[in-house]
Amino acid sequence: MNSNRMVVAQRGVIPPPKHYADSAWFKYILSCCAATTAEMVTYPLDLTKTRLQIQGEKGLNGNGIHHQPYRGLASTGVGIIREEGMLRLWQGVTPAVYRHLIYSGTRMVLYEKVRDHLFTRRADGTRPVWQAIVGGILVGGIAQFLASPADLIKVQMQMEGKRRLEGKPPRIHSAGEAFVKIYNAGGLRGLWKGCMPNVYRSAFVNLGDLTTYDSVKRYFVSSWGLSDNYWTHALSRGLLYRNSLDCLMKTIHNEGFWALYKGFIPCWLRMGPWSLTFWLTYEQIRNLSGTSAF
């Protein structure tokens, strides 16, 4: 900064540069804050989705009795509130937040690094879409693999309320206890049990979320002349199965093909609000912190 710029900055016209604002560790923290906000707002839909997906599995109901108390998103949510209480809609949110401290922080920082250093930049400032696709898939898979233990713990905690309603003793009382039990039973490999379907899913979720947002936002700014502001950001936007294949085959055999899509609607309904909340929060806190726009 030259002397004239320093004088202007001291007068309050131009704020002095924040050297930490564009550092990787600071962006990591900001992405974790935005993801935590989005997770807290939309988590009840995630719990509802999990309950819908897993309630038909054999071996989860007491005395071998097969029943399906919930039908659809609304009845599941109301049933959980009526039978377990309002706060149960956030059961398992702690490991879900832990997951995003790894998953969202890793995918956002890693994607930005890959984009800024490996992508080709055209004269108009845009980048080839195929590079964004490859980058999004790659960082999504890596981030989910690292966060898989937290995902496993989250699902186990989500099911505790249902087990207790069925008269079964609780298996775990906290995320820490779940971690210790999984590790003692299966070691490090046990913490990544069944992780690959989620790795594949997250790779393509990033294709639809991170890659799309990045590409569409840059298109709006460069081609439509929109400002990089709030409106542009909004516009852009274990024991039952041996492995993933065994889970697939048993689900189809026991519940039919369409059981694979149980919980699709709440999952779909959650992803929209989650992404909107995340990107609006992330862009705004980056702006308030003096960090360059994503």
Side-chain angles (χ1 to χ4, degrees):
M1 176 184 292
N2 56 39
S3 58
N4 291 333
R5 183 177 175 84
M6 291 180 65
V7 171
V8 174
Q10 290 173 357
R11 292 175 179 172
V13 178
I14 301 176
K18 299 178 180 179
H19 299 292
Y20 62 83
D22 279 309
S23 62
W25 66 266
F26 190 69
K27 291 177 181 177
Y28 191 102
I29 293 174
L30 295 184
S31 65
C32 290
C33 291
T36 299
T37 301
E39 193 68 20
M40 294 297 295
V41 170
T42 63
Y43 185 79
L45 283 172
D46 186 49
L47 178 70
T48 302
K49 175 202 70 175
T50 301
R51 291 291 183 88
L52 281 171
Q53 288 174 329
I54 210 158
Q55 66 181 355
E57 292 183 339
K58 292 184 177 180
L60 288 180
N61 299 313
N63 302 320
I65 300 174
H66 180 75
H67 60 88
Q68 292 187 338
Y70 304 137
R71 293 282 185 178
L73 174 63
S75 64
T76 302
V78 171
I80 293 172
I81 294 173
R82 183 179 62 249
E83 297 171 5
E84 305 174 47
M86 176 72 75
L87 293 180
R88 289 297 183 181
L89 290 173
W90 280 269
Q91 183 169 4
V93 72
T94 302
V97 170
Y98 291 163
R99 171 186 180 261
H100 279 289
L101 295 182
I102 303 172
Y103 173 73
S104 289
T106 300
R107 72 167 183 140
M108 298 304 298
V109 172
L110 190 57
Y111 179 84
E112 201 165 355
K113 287 290 185 182
V114 171
R115 181 193 67 188
D116 295 343
H117 293 89
L118 298 180
F119 288 7
T120 303
R121 182 186 291 272
R122 299 191 182 101
D124 61 357
T126 61
R127 298 176 174 87
V129 175
W130 72 267
Q131 294 182 357
I133 291 174
V134 173
I137 291 175
L138 179 65
V139 303
I142 292 173
Q144 177 57 41
F145 181 79
L146 295 176
S148 287
D151 245 349
L152 181 61
I153 293 170
K154 178 192 75 172
V155 172
Q156 290 205 2
M157 291 192 67
Q158 285 177 333
M159 293 309 301
E160 279 304 298
K162 185 173 179 63
R163 284 178 55 85
R164 294 172 190 178
L165 283 176
E166 293 169 349
K168 297 181 179 180
R171 296 176 300 180
I172 51 177
H173 298 85
S174 66
E177 183 183 358
F179 178 89
V180 171
K181 285 192 173 183
I182 294 171
Y183 178 80
N184 289 339
L188 284 176
R189 290 186 62 183
L191 293 170
W192 273 267
K193 182 179 181 180
C195 72
M196 292 315 297
N198 270 340
V199 170
Y200 300 146
R201 174 182 174 274
S202 293
F204 286 100
V205 164
N206 271 272
L207 170 61
D209 176 31
L210 196 158
T211 301
T212 300
Y213 176 85
D214 185 32
S215 301
V216 172
K217 174 189 164 183
R218 292 183 181 280
Y219 174 76
F220 284 157
V221 172
S222 62
S223 299
W224 288 22
L226 299 182
S227 300
D228 191 351
N229 57 23
Y230 180 93
W231 294 109
T232 303
H233 303 157
L235 187 61
S236 304
R237 154 29 265 144
L239 292 178
L240 292 176
Y241 312 116
R242 294 190 299 271
N243 50 49
S244 302
L245 180 61
D246 185 45
C247 174
L248 173 68
M249 298 308 295
K250 283 185 176 178
T251 300
I252 295 175
H253 180 266
N254 294 330
E255 305 174 60
F257 174 79
W258 293 111
L260 296 174
Y261 293 88
K262 286 188 305 183
F264 169 79
I265 291 178
C267 181
W268 177 73
L269 289 175
R270 178 180 184 249
M271 283 304 300
W274 195 99
S275 294
L276 182 62
T277 305
F278 173 80
W279 286 111
L280 290 178
T281 304
Y282 188 48
E283 292 278 22
Q284 293 306 307
I285 62 176
R286 282 178 70 120
N287 180 54
L288 292 173
S289 302
T291 305
S292 58
F294 180 76

